[in-house]
């Protein structure tokens, strides 16, 4: 039986199976080909997406909004917590209940871990987690899996290095949750203070994923894919701790010269200094293709959870 996403919330990387992932990827591929042939889509005409962003965002908010427009739907938006009643002390639950009266689907980004779950508990429409603090970022992980499959041609028997702030990086938390559905080897490269949370590595190992933890970027260079991440400055309580650690890993042309075969390089963006611009012209530099894929995957999610497909 096919998995129906109609009415479903998208909150956590752990909610997917290989089968349900395939359905999202197939739908995204269909939208990609329709976009390529400039087909006009109107399947979400009359539907409204609300984007509620209580933390900064460029790609996640705009790509969801672009996705909704490309499906023929409309968008209402809170682009900053400062402009909504959250600034007056309204709870996430009350906000979600309210927005449910205006929209058919909502995307929320909020600094608190579990915030999207809380919104989902109160909303009467599907809630998509656009990032809950240092918790999860499942829609990013879905576009990452879509990108990996496109770039490497498979999700089977691949080696993936995740580099940087693995403690606070919600993208890598969600991506490892999805990758554990496949036979993959993961190499986690992080300074001791920013290691992947122990419960995530334990879960991966329990699912049979081979996990290697290291501090050295060199250990990532033989992987099929290097997934770089930004040190999450906003999660540091002491700015001095951030200053000590910033710039710890920088991927540049010089380092890549040492690789036997050119890896695929991804990054959820924004980058600060983790990938030098001299890497951008490399064939394996996939981070802007990753951005483009985000629109197709988010189109698929919007259409699927609202029952438009
Ligand atoms: C990421 C995020 O917000 O978690 N950005 C994104 O959604 N593409 C990564 C980051 O901010 O470092």
């Amino acid at each position: 039986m096919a998995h129906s996403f109609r009415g479903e919330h998208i909150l956590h990387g752990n909610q997917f199976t290989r089968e349900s992932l395939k359905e999202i990827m197939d739908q995204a591929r269909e939208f990609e080909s329709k976009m390529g042939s400039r087909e006009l889509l109107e399947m979400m005409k009359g539907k409204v997406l609300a984007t509620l962003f209580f933390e900064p965002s460029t790609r996640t908010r705009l790509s969801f909004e672009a996705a909704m427009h490309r499906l023929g739907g409309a968008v209402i938006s809170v682009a900053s917590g400062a402009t909504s009643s959250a600034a007056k002390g309204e709870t996430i639950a009350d906000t979600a209940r309210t927005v449910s009266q205006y929209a058919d689907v909502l995307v929320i980004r909020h600094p608190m871990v579990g915030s999207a779950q809380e919104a989902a508990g109160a909303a009467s429409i599907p809630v998509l987690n656009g990032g809950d603090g240092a918790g999860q970022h499942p829609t990013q992980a879905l576009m990452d899996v879509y990108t990996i499959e496109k770039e490497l041609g498979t999700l089977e028997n691949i080696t993936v290095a995740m580099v940087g702030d693995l403690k606070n990086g919600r993208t890598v938390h969600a991506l490892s949750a999805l990758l554990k559905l496949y036979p993959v080897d993961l190499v986690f490269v992080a300074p001791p203070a920013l290691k992947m949370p122990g419960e995530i590595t334990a879960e991966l190992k329990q699912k049979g994923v081979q996990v290697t933890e290291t501090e050295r970027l060199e250990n990532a260079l033989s992987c099929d894919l290097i997934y770089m991440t930004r040190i999450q400055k906003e999660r540091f309580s002491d700015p001095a701790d951030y200053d000590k650690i910033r710039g710890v890993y920088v991927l540049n042309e010089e380092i890549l010269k040492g690789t036997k075969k050119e890896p695929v390089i991804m990054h959820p963006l924004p980058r600060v200094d983790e990938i030098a611009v001299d890497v951008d012209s490399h064939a394996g530099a996939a981070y802007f293709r990753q951005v483009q894929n985000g629109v197709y995957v988010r189109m698929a999610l919007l259409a699927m959870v609202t029952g438009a497909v």
Side-chain angles (χ1 to χ4, degrees):
M1 251 287 277
H3 183 103
S4 169
F5 279 93
R6 182 190 281 255
E8 197 167 312
H9 305 297
I10 306 293
L11 300 175
H12 198 291
N14 281 347
Q15 78 188 77
F16 302 96
T17 61
R18 275 178 78 143
E19 293 69 34
S20 67
L21 268 185
K22 183 174 180 305
E23 286 179 40
I24 297 169
M25 300 303 131
D26 286 347
Q27 187 60 56
R29 267 187 289 274
E30 193 178 320
F31 283 136
E32 178 172 1
S33 83
K34 289 193 156 123
M35 286 294 100
S37 60
R38 300 254 169 249
E39 195 173 318
L40 188 64
L41 301 176
E42 295 199 314
M43 60 183 62
M44 294 202 65
K45 204 168 171 184
K47 294 258 200 297
V48 176
L49 161 69
T51 55
L52 304 181
F53 278 68
F54 301 104
E55 272 193 344
S57 169
T58 298
R59 276 150 289 268
T60 304
R61 186 168 69 84
L62 293 183
S63 65
F64 263 116
E65 296 186 357
M68 190 61 173
H69 285 296
R70 294 208 182 271
L71 290 165
V75 176
I76 55 176
S77 186
V78 169
S80 139
T83 65
S84 80
S85 280
K88 302 181 191 167
E90 186 167 56
T91 62
I92 293 170
D94 282 358
T95 303
R97 236 174 251 136
T98 301
V99 173
S100 298
Q101 313 309 314
Y102 307 145
D104 301 285
V105 53
L106 85 84
V107 180
I108 182 169
R109 167 172 290 186
H110 190 283
M112 193 183 79
V113 173
S115 49
Q117 182 83 46
E118 202 169 312
S124 54
I125 56 176
V127 171
L128 311 188
N129 181 4
D132 61 322
Q136 284 276 312
H137 196 348
T139 72
Q140 175 75 42
L142 291 165
M143 60 186 257
D144 291 346
V145 162
Y146 186 80
T147 303
I148 295 171
E149 200 171 11
K150 232 168 119 177
E151 296 286 329
L152 290 175
T154 179
L155 292 158
E156 311 257 346
N157 304 316
I158 56 171
T159 51
V160 178
M162 299 187 192
V163 182
D165 190 348
L166 307 186
K167 174 176 180 238
N168 300 301
R170 54 195 174 199
T171 64
V172 284
H173 299 169
L175 180 57
S176 33
L178 295 191
L179 288 180
K180 73 175 181 295
L181 299 171
Y182 303 89
V184 296
D185 287 357
L186 299 181
V187 178
F188 291 154
V189 184
L194 300 179
K195 278 175 70 175
M196 185 64 91
E199 63 272 18
I200 295 184
T201 43
E203 212 179 327
L204 290 165
K205 287 178 185 166
Q206 195 244 327
K207 290 269 153 45
V209 176
Q210 160 108 29
V211 178
T212 308
E213 293 189 273
T214 169
E215 276 181 63
R216 292 165 51 84
L217 180 59
E218 294 72 49
N219 295 338
L221 299 178
S222 59
C223 289
D224 301 311
L225 166 69
I226 304 178
Y227 191 101
M228 298 296 293
T229 66
R230 176 178 68 88
I231 307 296
Q232 307 280 295
K233 183 180 183 183
E234 64 276 32
R235 312 283 176 227
F236 284 69
S237 46
D238 184 349
D241 289 340
Y242 172 73
D243 286 333
K244 264 184 250 153
I245 237 160
R246 62 181 300 178
V248 55
Y249 302 119
V250 177
L251 197 61
N252 57 30
E253 191 144 57
E254 192 57 35
I255 293 173
L256 284 175
K257 270 190 197 139
T259 58
K260 271 204 222 85
K261 73 173 171 16
E262 168 109 4
V264 170
I265 300 157
M266 290 172 56
H267 191 306
L269 304 179
R271 68 174 147 182
V272 180
D273 46 18
E274 322 67 64
I275 304 181
V277 286
D278 61 15
V279 175
D280 295 1
S281 54
H282 280 239
Y287 25 98
F288 290 104
R289 296 194 287 275
Q290 195 178 346
V291 168
Q292 186 184 21
N293 293 333
V295 179
Y296 312 132
V297 170
R298 287 177 170 136
M299 287 172 80
L301 289 170
L302 292 172
M304 291 170 93
V305 300
T306 57
V309 287

